[in-house]
Amino acid sequence: MKIGAPKEIFEGEARVAMTPDSAKLLQKLGHTCVIETGAGAKAGFSDKAYADAGVEVVKTAAALFKAADVVVKVRGPEPVEAKRLTEGQTLISFFWPAQNDKLLAQMKAQGSTVIAMDMVPRISRAQKMDALSSMANIAGYRAVIEAGNNFGRFFTGQVTAAGKVPPAKVLVVGAGVAGLAAIGTATSLGAITYAFDVRPEVAEQIESMGAEFVYLEFDASELPDGAATGGYAAPSTPEFQAKQLAKFRELAPEIDIVITTALIPGRPAPKLWTKDMVEMMKPGSVIIDLAAERGGNCDLTVMDEKIVTDNGVTIVGYTDFPSRMAAQASTLYSNNIRHMLADLTPAKDGVINHNMEDDVIRGATVAHKGEITFPPPPPKVAAIAVQKPKEKVKELTPEERRAKEVAEFKLQTRNQVGLMAIAGGLLLLAGMFTPASFMSHFIVFVLACYVGFQVIWKVSHSLHTPLMAITNAISSIIILGAVLQIGSGSWLVVVLAALSVLMAGINIFGGFMVTRRMLAMFQKS
């Protein structure tokens, strides 16, 4: 099949759906690639770079649509592009089928197949194709950079000879991919970061990144269920939303920067930062609304514009954050496209196999063979496992803690005394029927097993890999003893010694390899 990427004609769009590197990988799947001249220029990819990668460069979009069997794009097709799609031709792009009924009907009438990258189900196997997440990651990072550009102070606090500068306070609403990227960026810049999400189970993720989770008191019945929506956000109940807004009003006067990321598929963005909250904020504060394209989470957001309110709050409603980092965004998005085509080409023979029994392909396909296949059935694998709220650990009084420690010590003592008594009895029993030379070796063996159990077996599993050096030392002792026994006159002893050398050698070399790989994970390239 011939995969073609036209130049994006949407105003201000700088991304491209195919990069020279992704084109090389598509060719390994048996496909050929074609691109419109200048398609990657805004993202920093020249026509020469594509030509060097074996991509055919055509002069016009009309020629590309005529040549390509599969058209890959970033934005959904504009009217002139939609008319160029023919029967049997496949389009892979963002499409937003719930908001584009007429366009979807046009694709059905033309007999074109449409794979919407915004409809990829959020299951583990589809993460490599999740274009929404890859673009949200960039948007979250860029949102903090834009906030810093419009904020009049440092993010981090400073104490200098010229005076003290307090750290900025950042609130991130929504801890999805974009929210977590924003949290990580704001925290790394030194801001005091707060984050809120309707899912209490993400509190650990937020706190592990150095931010503080904003908790709400609510009943389980008030919590929206995200498990049934394929991993995407679900609408909040009125009771939950009321408590949520009350908490935001409490925080508004203290917050310097607000970054909102809340979106619900197929619905307008929920209003989470109201006009009165904006009026409570300090002059110079900044709001970055990542949901501006769907109406915005803030009442005062104006799409694709930056406004300043009467009380000096800057509200940024840009919708092109990923496009403002076009090279990085194009690289990630083209990889998402490439993985989708890899699933569509399982034999790697350049032939598309549109398997509608596959959860990922079926979920992303919104039009196929003259039929509208949107909405898809729910994925067979639940995207989110709803976690039961953890019970709070009861704080023990000093007396209770002391009593617990004494009880644990007594239990441990009884167990150790019991084991020693049993081991002593077995040794005495063995000594009655075996020669003295055997018993001396056997006692050393038992003591070695005991020491090994105490040193290695009781260590936490998470620390086993750092103990490779210790296990290698033990294996070296085994090899030394086995080598001394290889010269024995008994063939059985020689065989056992040789097996000991072999197995201990495997353990040593394998241990070094695993340790080296583990250490490489913590080294900067």
Side-chain angles (χ1 to χ4, degrees), residues 471-472 474-480 482 498-511:
T471 59
N472 287 345
I474 295 173
S475 298
S476 301
I477 296 172
I478 294 172
I479 287 180
L480 183 61
L499 289 174
S500 299
V501 171
L502 174 64
M503 289 185 285
I506 292 173
N507 188 40
I508 289 175
F509 293 119

Side-chain angles (χ1 to χ4, degrees), residues 65-149:
F65 274 83
K66 187 176 181 180
D69 300 300
V70 179
V71 177
V72 295
K73 279 178 51 59
V74 180
R75 296 274 180 170
E78 296 295 307
V80 65
E81 294 174 316
K83 290 178 182 177
R84 288 174 175 156
L85 290 167
T86 59
E87 183 176 357
Q89 202 170 26
T90 299
L91 170 70
I92 304 178
S93 73
F94 285 115
F95 197 85
W96 310 108
Q99 289 84 33
N100 289 293
D101 295 338
K102 292 182 179 179
L103 184 58
L104 194 57
Q106 181 181 347
M107 296 296 100
K108 172 187 174 182
Q110 293 177 187
S112 303
T113 295
V114 179
I115 296 177
M117 294 303 290
D118 49 282
M119 290 299 298
V120 172
R122 283 187 167 172
I123 58 178
S124 297
R125 188 169 62 84
Q127 286 181 353
K128 60 187 177 183
M129 297 169 249
D130 191 352
L132 284 178
S133 292
S134 60
M135 295 301 101
N137 182 30
I138 294 175
Y141 172 85
R142 183 71 188 197
V144 178
I145 302 303
E146 291 289 339
N149 187 44

Side-chain angles (χ1 to χ4, degrees), residues 1 12 30 46 69 116 124 126 149 151 183 212 224 243 255 266 279 344 361 366 374 413 441 461 466 476 513 520:
M1 292 288 185
S46 65
D69 300 300
S124 297
N149 187 44
F151 187 56
I183 291 167
E212 180 178 336
K243 293 179 179 179
I255 300 299
E279 293 170 349
L344 289 166
I361 295 172
V366 296
F374 173 81
T413 302
H441 290 293
H461 294 291
S476 301
M513 291 178 65

Side-chain angles (χ1 to χ4, degrees), residues 38-52:
K42 292 181 180 178
F45 304 109
S46 65
D47 289 347
K48 183 179 183 302
Y50 284 105
D52 292 343

